[in-house]
Each structure stands twice: as C-alpha cells, then as structure tokens.
Amino acid sequence: MGNCCSDEIGTGRHSVGPASSSADAASAAADRFLRSRGAGASTQIELSLSASNLGDQEYFFKSNPIVVVYSSNDGALEEIGRTEVIVNSSSPSWNAKIILQYQFEVLQPLVFHIYDIDPQFHDVSEKMLKLEEQQFLGEAICNLSDVVTKQNRLFTIKLGVSEQNLPNPSKFGELTVQAEESAGSKALMEMVFHCSDLEIKDLLSKSDPFLLISRMSENGTPVPICKTEVRKNDLNPKWKPVILNLQQVGSKESPLMIECFNFSSNGKHDLVGKIVKSVADLENLYHSGNGENFFVPASNAHDCHSMEVLKSQVYVEKYLENSRHTFIDYISAGCQLNLMVAIDYTASNGNPRLPDSLHYIDPSGRPNAYQRVILEIGDILQYYDPAKRIPSWGYGARPIDGPVSHCFNLNGSTYQPEVEGIQGIMSAYISALRNVSLAGPTLFGPLISTATAIASQSLTSNQQKYFILLIVTDGVVTDFQETIDAIIKASDFPMSIVVVGVGGADFKEMEDSN
C-alpha cells in the first residue's frame, strides 16, 4: 500500500496529494508541542556481544575483557553502556545486554572498545573503572543498520586500532554483534478514549481538545509518548484509537499521565484536566464502563500538591491487546527497500553554470541542494537495499536532438534506468546536466506511472520488495490532476512517494483539500 509524504531542503515543505484541513493543521501544531516535550518514535534494541581470538595468540595471551559501547556523532563519542568483565578468556561471550533505541531514519554509528581489565581492579564496579588505566585490546566500528539488516541480525567485525603506532591489527581478533528487538516493542495496547462535560476554555466557541499521554520517569517527570488528534468545537470528544507498545509505557502497572489540553494556535495549550492511571487501571475502566474524573491543581490552595476534582470525565471505550510485526521483522525476513530517484531539470532551477543555480556544481566539492537530498536520504536507505541498483530519472529537460522529456533515464541509457549506488546517482546526475537543456513544465504523472510499473512487476513476481520514489523538485507541478490520479493508482502497490522541495518556491499550491 502506498503513501505520500514530504520534507524540505530550503523553504518548501508540503505534501502532494490530499492536504490538511484546519483540524489537521491544528493536529500538526499539537504534534510539534508533543515533540517539544521530548517525545520520539523508535524501537528498543538489545545488543549481545561476543569476541574471538583477543590479544596476541602467539604468546597464549588471555585477557579479562570488557566492551565499552559508544555512539558516534561527528566523531564525538558518547558512552551507551558497558558489559561485565569476563575473567581469563580470549574468546568471551558477555551476558550483559547493551540497550539502545533504533531509529530507521537516522544513521547510528557505533564504536566498540575492548579493554583488558587488570586483576587489581576486579572488585571495582564496571561503571567505575577508569579505562585509561586498562590495556586497550582493539576497537570495532559499524552502523546499527549494518546489524539489523542481516537476516539473523548477526554481524562480525574485525578488531583494529585507529592509532598508527599500535601493533598489527590482524592480531586483535573479531567482535560479533547480535541485535534483538525488545519484546515490549511488539506488545500493543489499542485504546479509544472519550470525554464528557469538558470545561469551556474559549470565549467564543467550544473547546478544541486533544489528549497527551506521558509515562512517569523515576524522578516523577512526565515523558510524552503519544498524542491524539485535535477535536474541533467538542465538549464531549471521542478520539481515534491510541496505540501504545509495552516498551513505551514500561509495564502495565507503570503510571501514565493523561492530560487533556485545549488547542491554541499560538502553541500555549490550556490544560483542561488530567488523570494518572496505569495501563492496567485503564483496562479496568474499560471493563467497568465507568469514567474517571479529571483533576487540576487547586488554584486557591496553599499546598502545591492539592488538587481540584472536576465533573469532566474520561472513559476508555475500547481496549485491545495484540502483537505486531515490526519494521525489523520484515527486514530480517528478507524484505528489501528499493530507492528510486527523480530529479527536476526544469529551467526554473537556473543556469547550472552560474553559482546562483540550484544545479550549480561547486568546484570546491560542496554539494548543491539536489546533491544534499540524494546524499542525506540515500545514505539511510542504501543499507536496506543489498543490490544497490537504483532506478534514476530526470524530468523537465530536452535531451540532445530530442523533444522535452518528463521521464528520461539519468544514465543516458535507452532501456536501463538503474545506476550503482548513491555515487552512481551523483555521477549520472552531473553527466545529465552536461547533456540536456533545462526546459519544462514540471510534471510528476509520467514519473509516478513509470515507478509504479516497476513496483507492479515486483509484486507480480512475488518479490519481497518495497519501493520508495524520491522526487526532488524546485517548483509546483502543473499536471496536478494527473499526479493525483497516478498517486491513487500507486497506492495499490508496495510503494511510497517522497517529494522534497528545494529552493525558495512556495509549495502551498501543491496542497489539495479534496
């Protein structure tokens, strides 16, 4: 099943296809409110570590090894966790799990350092060990994507050292990393909430309520995990189903704070009321059919912990538990993501020979807007495409001695649109700039139809593939209805369409309220 979304490089950020109503816009603003309070979507992963042939085997060297795991951000290392120390072993398997959050849409470089712990420190807690006092046995570097994309989620890396003056890396052995998804990320709870008799917060209209659900941290601070849509002018709202996983809430007995806010376009949403209940409590509310009264901090109380109970109530109208297949399950079972790229060669991009053009190739090597999009999105998706054969097209240009084409193979081939990897796209993109004349107009329909044919052929062949068509453009489509028709047809196939706007064009015309 297909879908369509958008992102931005420059100023345009709008979707192609059905656009937002005023309620959707309000919900998007509430989403920003949720993100501002620390929420995010990810899956919890447990890494199991083992090693072989640590140290110099010629001298029958056996160590007392520990692994320290870091995340790497532009070369800066931040420690994620440590294993326990295994005594007298050159091929250890550590019991401690390294817990981290896996995010499909982000590159997550990991660095593993292995140390031999001196026996005099064996009574010291692993967290308190001073690593500079221990012998360094080697390091391994990979992206988390390298691990989770393997069918058995098992990835082996040769250990080495980054310093040139240390011994031969061939003597440092290997590290094996295995990833398992936390069971809590698959256990789902689906709930439908509705409220009665909400307090009127707006002077000239009824309230526009939404719910914000937060788990309570160990220090009592709420951490947002989920938000409903905004219901316009409704004092007895019923929201779409809320789906939580056990990883998000901790356990069925962990307390959750459910806050009802009245949406405000300035982002300062008014608190209508709140309750604190565990998932188990919410399940009991569903079975009993009873409501729970909201409360708010008492406005005239001297004690800051005093609460005023309101007549407004929240009900759990539906409660279901089930399990789900996750993104990692599909990848581990052999499903591949296949990137397809389409680049805008219309004249509105400007003369590629001039520095103010969106297609200008800077001699210094600094990527232009199109190259940045390809690199940033391609670097993520290429990990999920083992073959890395990427169909790539241009549109809106006039090839040499030919009419304007709205879907031509970027590599210049008559029949074969595929190129090798991200660098293949970059090379074909630059080559096409030298061999076409920028023209127009901007049409998406032929591109989407061509990409849909590829996805259709894959489905017919019963291949486990999902296609992502990336369309990079500097302006608004002119075949609006044809584009919508093509998107609707594509929705029957394993395919998504991502439109990224570059430059300073106003993309609001690409919204459709129908």
Side-chain angles (χ1 to χ4, degrees), residues 229-298:
E229 76 279 12
V230 175
R231 303 296 298 177
K232 301 291 287 184
N233 297 320
D234 197 342
L235 298 180
N236 298 282
K238 175 182 174 180
W239 290 277
K240 294 178 183 178
V242 167
I243 298 177
L244 301 174
N245 63 54
L246 203 57
Q247 170 199 322
Q248 290 174 297
V249 302
S251 73
K252 290 186 67 173
E253 286 69 39
S254 301
L256 297 177
M257 178 181 291
I258 302 176
E259 299 170 284
C260 183
F261 287 94
N262 176 41
F263 172 81
S264 176
S265 58
N266 64 11
K268 298 179 180 179
H269 310 303
D270 297 319
L271 177 66
V272 177
K274 60 184 175 180
I275 63 171
V276 177
K277 293 288 181 182
S278 67
V279 170
D281 294 332
L282 296 173
E283 182 180 8
N284 290 335
L285 277 180
Y286 164 71
H287 288 300
S288 69
N290 296 327
E292 181 73 16
N293 290 84
F294 279 124
F295 63 84
V296 293

Side-chain angles (χ1 to χ4, degrees), residues 247-462:
Q247 170 199 322
Q248 290 174 297
V249 302
S251 73
K252 290 186 67 173
E253 286 69 39
S254 301
L256 297 177
M257 178 181 291
I258 302 176
E259 299 170 284
C260 183
F261 287 94
N262 176 41
F263 172 81
S264 176
S265 58
N266 64 11
K268 298 179 180 179
H269 310 303
D270 297 319
L271 177 66
V272 177
K274 60 184 175 180
I275 63 171
V276 177
K277 293 288 181 182
S278 67
V279 170
D281 294 332
L282 296 173
E283 182 180 8
N284 290 335
L285 277 180
Y286 164 71
H287 288 300
S288 69
N290 296 327
E292 181 73 16
N293 290 84
F294 279 124
F295 63 84
V296 293
S299 58
N300 56 354
H302 297 292
D303 183 357
C304 63
H305 297 291
S306 297
M307 297 294 172
E308 176 186 350
V309 178
L310 307 177
K311 69 174 183 177
S312 306
Q313 289 189 313
V314 58
Y315 295 82
V316 181
E317 189 171 302
K318 177 182 178 181
Y319 181 91
L320 286 177
E321 291 185 11
N322 52 49
S323 60
R324 64 167 178 170
H325 290 296
T326 64
F327 175 81
I328 293 180
D329 287 330
Y330 288 108
I331 294 298
S332 298
C335 182
Q336 300 176 12
L337 295 186
N338 293 98
L339 178 64
M340 301 185 284
V341 175
I343 299 175
D344 186 336
Y345 284 82
T346 57
S348 56
N349 284 280
N351 187 339
R353 297 181 180 85
L354 301 178
D356 60 351
S357 170
L358 292 171
H359 282 309
Y360 179 68
I361 305 301
D362 195 322
S364 71
R366 185 177 65 178
N368 63 32
Y370 285 93
Q371 291 171 313
R372 290 204 309 273
V373 172
I374 294 168
L375 289 171
E376 290 174 9
I377 295 181
D379 278 351
I380 300 295
L381 293 180
Q382 66 176 339
Y383 285 92
Y384 306 95
D385 183 359
K388 295 179 174 57
R389 298 283 297 169
I390 304 173
S392 302
W393 302 285
Y395 62 95
R398 188 188 309 277
I400 296 175
D401 299 327
V404 173
S405 174
H406 302 294
C407 185
F408 58 89
N409 295 338
L410 210 58
N411 58 11
S413 168
T414 304
Y415 304 104
Q416 179 55 263
E418 294 180 340
V419 299
E420 291 282 351
I422 302 306
Q423 288 307 314
I425 301 174
M426 300 292 275
S427 297
Y429 160 66
I430 294 173
S431 177
L433 282 175
R434 303 190 186 104
N435 292 290
V436 301
S437 299
L438 306 192
T442 302
L443 307 182
F444 285 179
L447 293 168
I448 297 173
S449 296
T450 302
T452 301
I454 294 176
S456 172
Q457 186 178 28
S458 172
L459 194 61
T460 302
S461 304
N462 201 29

